[in-house]
Amino acid sequence: GAVVSQHPSRVICKSGTSVKIECRSLDFQATTMFWYRQFPKQSLMLMATSNEGSKATYEQGVEKDKFLINHASLTLSTLTVTSAHPEDSSFYICSARDWGWVPDTQYFGPGTRLTVL
Amino acid sequence: GDSVTQMEGPVTLSEEAFLTINCTYTATGYPSLFWYVQYPGEGLQLLLKATKADDKGSNKGFEATYRKETTSFHLEKGSVQVSDSAVYFCALSDRGGGTSYGKLTFGQGTILTVHP
């Protein structure tokens, strides 16, 4: 149980285009999902907290207009990187919190490698 | 704010050696503590957790004890295997009220390489 998927696993795009990344909880409902960014050989940086049916809460320094988050259902959150630039190239990871399985624990997706040319 | 400090790596061991990865934390409340593992090319997996002082989390031969007096959650394994090679992250979850509830704060990660 407690499986989180992400799609796509890898994406390469041209500078100026937008890219959408999906995060799904496969066998549980997740009222809260989190989006992280991980740079090579570094830790995870929390970008935003996504709550089902309400606006996402962004961490300080994260541009909400550039990283659009939508949490339209209890099993799906999406992150859209708008007008992507090479500096947005990174590993994006989502996680979901399942209160019904093991409370207070986040389960992570496998990540999406974004490369902007 | 909350913070987690892990011992710097990388750590290189021979198979069957004893492993310790130190982790200390700073938190204003009473956090839950976690160890996550990231294998090459994969996402993070929960390795073990502890939710209150003196709790011991254990899984796959790994152990960590929540030490409130020393604000530590050191990861240990008595005999490592090549398959344990991965990046290990210590993390805490804020259980206080408000918008910070449930947010994970990660340490910088420790790369472990185990040689045959």
Side-chain angles (χ1 to χ4, degrees), chain A residues 34 36 38 43-44 46 59 91 93 97 99 102-106 108-110, chain B residues 32 34 36 38 42-44 46 49 89 93 95 101-104 106-108:
Chain A
F34 302 87
Y36 297 84
Q38 185 180 29
S43 189
L44 281 74
L46 178 65
E59 295 300 301
F91 194 51
I93 304 174
R97 192 167 65 204
W99 295 106
V102 180
D104 192 32
T105 297
Q106 292 182 28
F108 286 79
Chain B
S32 294
F34 305 83
Y36 283 89
Q38 185 178 31
E42 299 183 14
L44 271 72
L46 176 65
K49 65 175 286 188
F89 292 93
S93 173
R95 293 190 295 171
Y101 186 75
K103 287 169 56 173
L104 280 174
F106 285 90
Q108 64 269 42

Side-chain angles (χ1 to χ4, degrees), chain A residues 13-21 37 39 47-48 58-59 61-70 78-90 92 114 116:
Chain A
C13 69
K14 293 182 178 180
S15 186
T17 60
S18 295
V19 174
K20 179 185 284 189
I21 303 170
R37 185 171 177 176
F39 294 98
M47 299 174 65
Y58 290 82
E59 295 300 301
V62 178
E63 299 176 59
K64 60 181 67 176
D65 293 331
K66 180 165 188 62
F67 297 100
L68 301 179
I69 292 173
N70 183 275
T78 60
L79 168 68
T80 301
V81 183
T82 62
S83 186
H85 291 282
E87 58 265 29
D88 298 324
S89 298
S90 192
Y92 293 88
L114 170 64
V116 184

Side-chain angles (χ1 to χ4, degrees), chain B residues 1-22:
Chain B
D2 297 342
S3 67
V4 177
T5 303
Q6 284 180 240
M7 66 182 287
E8 293 189 16
V11 174
T12 302
L13 296 172
S14 297
E15 206 164 25
E16 299 183 2
F18 184 85
L19 168 71
T20 300
I21 301 178
N22 290 337

Side-chain angles (χ1 to χ4, degrees), chain B residues 66-114:
Chain B
Y66 190 144
R67 301 288 188 198
K68 187 166 181 280
E69 63 276 13
T70 55
T71 61
S72 65
F73 194 55
H74 305 321
L75 182 68
E76 296 182 337
K77 186 174 185 181
S79 176
V80 294
Q81 306 300 312
V82 173
S83 57
D84 293 328
S85 298
V87 183
Y88 292 80
F89 292 93
C90 185
L92 69 81
S93 173
D94 187 341
R95 293 190 295 171
T99 58
S100 63
Y101 186 75
K103 287 169 56 173
L104 280 174
T105 300
F106 285 90
Q108 64 269 42
T110 301
I111 300 172
L112 170 66
T113 303
V114 180

